[in-house]
Amino acid sequence: MNPSAYIGRFAPSPTGPLHFGSLVCALASFVDARHHQGKWLVRIEDIDPPREIPGATTIILKQLESHGLHWDGELLYQSQRSEAYKAALAQLNRDGLSYSCDCNRQRVSELGGIYDGHCRQRQVGSESAIRLELSKDGANSITAFDDLIMGHYRQNLCREVGDFVIRRRDQLFSYQLAVTVDDQFQNISHIIRGADLLDSTPRQLYLQRCLGASSEQITAMHYGHLPLAINSGGQKLSKQNHAPALAPGEESNNLWLALQWLQQAPPAELRNENSTTILNWAIANWSIDQIPSSAEIPAPDTA
Ligand code: GLU
Ligand code: ZN
């Protein structure tokens, strides 16, 4: 592969400071990019104000910098990308691929979360949610890809997901829409992120196609989904279950523990070195094949 074609990214939502689980994602995407002489971009996914914490973006960026995770180019803020998302919605509407849906939460949950296309005959209106209409030809809705960590993954969107929301009833753009538009806009080639997003990937591949990406462009996208770091109670580390923020002053230890968690076997003496030395070791010795394909791995005690 032409190294200059590698563009990776880390795309945090500013819902709180980074914890061990988010550090692992930032670190793995950074080291994989640098190992391939690629670019590494940071995109702030601030399109869901009700979930955001004031000041979280500043804290996250400081945490990245203090861990030596320096990004290339300008930051991209999703809050400034409304025009692009509107244009994508307009394109999908024009191509007859979307419709308004007023079904309430209860109706959708009675369907087991897999939408039945009830509102398909409606036009796009302004007061309701907008769904993407999956192809009626079932074969087109089967999406498969080879994950760099989890292996072959296949999903039948019609059967397992159904027509999905691309603009929410509260008028906010959906994560699936925004992330797909921006990954295309930034020419992202490699997406290394948490396995909680593995089952979103087929929706994003499908949306790329709907938005005009060629099959060459789609096959040039590489995905690697990392196991989730879980706490002693077996829950994914997250703000909701009070995962502690990364401790300041502990950067070397945090990086070393994250590399060990990723099964990169960092030598013991590396633990006392500075961030740059640890990252340089990781870039030179990186082996994505060592990362286990298990869904979850307990976080170290300190996290
Ligand atoms: N913003 C998402 C999150 O923080 C990640 C999006 C992605 O990597 O695709 O969970
Ligand atoms: Zn509906």
Side-chain angles (χ1 to χ4, degrees):
M1 172 188 169
N2 171 5
S4 66
Y6 187 122
I7 306 180
R9 52 51 158 206
F10 176 57
S13 305
T15 52
L18 299 179
H19 48 68
F20 183 79
S22 34
L23 176 68
V24 161
C25 294
L27 176 67
S29 61
F30 172 88
V31 176
D32 195 64
R34 297 298 190 229
H35 180 76
H36 292 97
Q37 292 95 45
K39 287 206 173 83
W40 187 68
L41 311 182
V42 172
R43 179 166 78 224
I44 303 298
E45 302 215 317
D46 51 352
I47 43 155
D48 194 352
R51 287 184 56 228
E52 285 155 23
I53 302 283
T57 297
T58 312
I59 296 173
I60 291 171
L61 296 175
K62 281 212 182 101
Q63 289 176 308
L64 291 175
E65 284 187 319
S66 71
H67 286 83
L69 300 169
H70 302 294
W71 55 90
D72 294 307
E74 300 279 305
L75 296 164
L76 187 69
Y77 288 85
Q78 288 196 324
S79 56
Q80 294 170 15
R81 297 272 299 147
S82 299
E83 290 313 313
Y85 308 144
K86 280 188 201 149
L89 287 174
Q91 180 185 342
L92 296 168
N93 181 35
R94 199 171 54 233
D95 293 345
L97 295 174
S98 60
Y99 62 91
S100 290
C101 170
D102 284 327
C103 297
N104 58 32
R105 210 170 285 229
Q106 193 195 342
R107 179 167 191 279
V108 176
S109 79
E110 281 164 9
L111 296 167
I114 300 169
Y115 191 67
D116 61 355
H118 179 74
C119 295
R120 275 192 178 190
Q121 299 318 319
R122 303 188 43 192
Q123 300 301 308
V124 168
S126 55
E127 292 306 319
S128 28
I130 300 176
R131 289 181 187 270
L132 186 78
E133 180 166 343
L134 297 173
S135 163
K136 294 188 182 73
D137 171 4
N140 280 334
S141 83
I142 297 174
T143 303
F145 66 99
D146 288 307
D147 192 85
L148 295 167
I149 299 162
M150 297 293 171
H152 193 69
Y153 189 81
R154 185 173 192 268
Q155 198 179 57
N156 181 323
L157 282 171
C158 282
R159 256 191 271 139
E160 297 173 58
V161 179
D163 296 346
F164 58 90
V165 172
I166 49 179
R167 196 205 64 204
R168 294 163 23 175
R169 183 194 308 271
D170 59 11
Q171 310 295 310
L172 296 177
F173 303 105
S174 79
Y175 157 68
Q176 306 294 352
L177 180 84
V179 81
T180 305
V181 168
D182 287 341
D183 284 334
Q184 254 175 15
F185 172 68
Q186 297 189 289
N187 290 315
I188 301 299
S189 66
H190 286 70
I191 295 178
I192 309 289
R193 62 184 173 189
D196 50 337
L197 296 169
L198 181 60
D199 68 357
S200 283
T201 303
R203 270 171 276 182
Q204 295 167 21
L205 289 166
Y206 189 90
L207 252 180
Q208 285 172 32
R209 214 182 322 148
C210 294
L211 289 169
S214 65
S215 7
E216 290 73 38
Q217 283 167 319
I218 292 170
T219 45
M221 293 287 290
H222 302 275
Y223 293 88
H225 287 87
L226 300 158
L228 298 179
I230 53 170
N231 64 22
S232 52
Q235 300 157 309
K236 177 195 168 200
L237 298 190
S238 70
K239 197 176 51 82
Q240 289 74 19
N241 55 46
H242 314 292
L246 295 169
E250 287 291 316
E251 285 78 7
S252 296
N253 198 36
N254 295 336
L255 288 170
W256 191 90
L257 287 171
L259 287 171
Q260 192 189 50
W261 189 92
L262 289 162
Q263 306 265 321
Q264 301 300 302
E269 53 293 359
L270 197 65
R271 200 165 179 164
N272 308 315
E273 301 291 342
N274 63 28
S275 299
T276 311
T277 307
I278 297 177
L279 291 174
N280 285 340
W281 179 90
I283 293 164
N285 293 280
W286 181 243
S287 170
I288 200 167
D289 296 337
Q290 296 305 311
I291 302 174
S293 60
S294 41
E296 298 171 339
I297 305 179
D301 284 344
T302 55

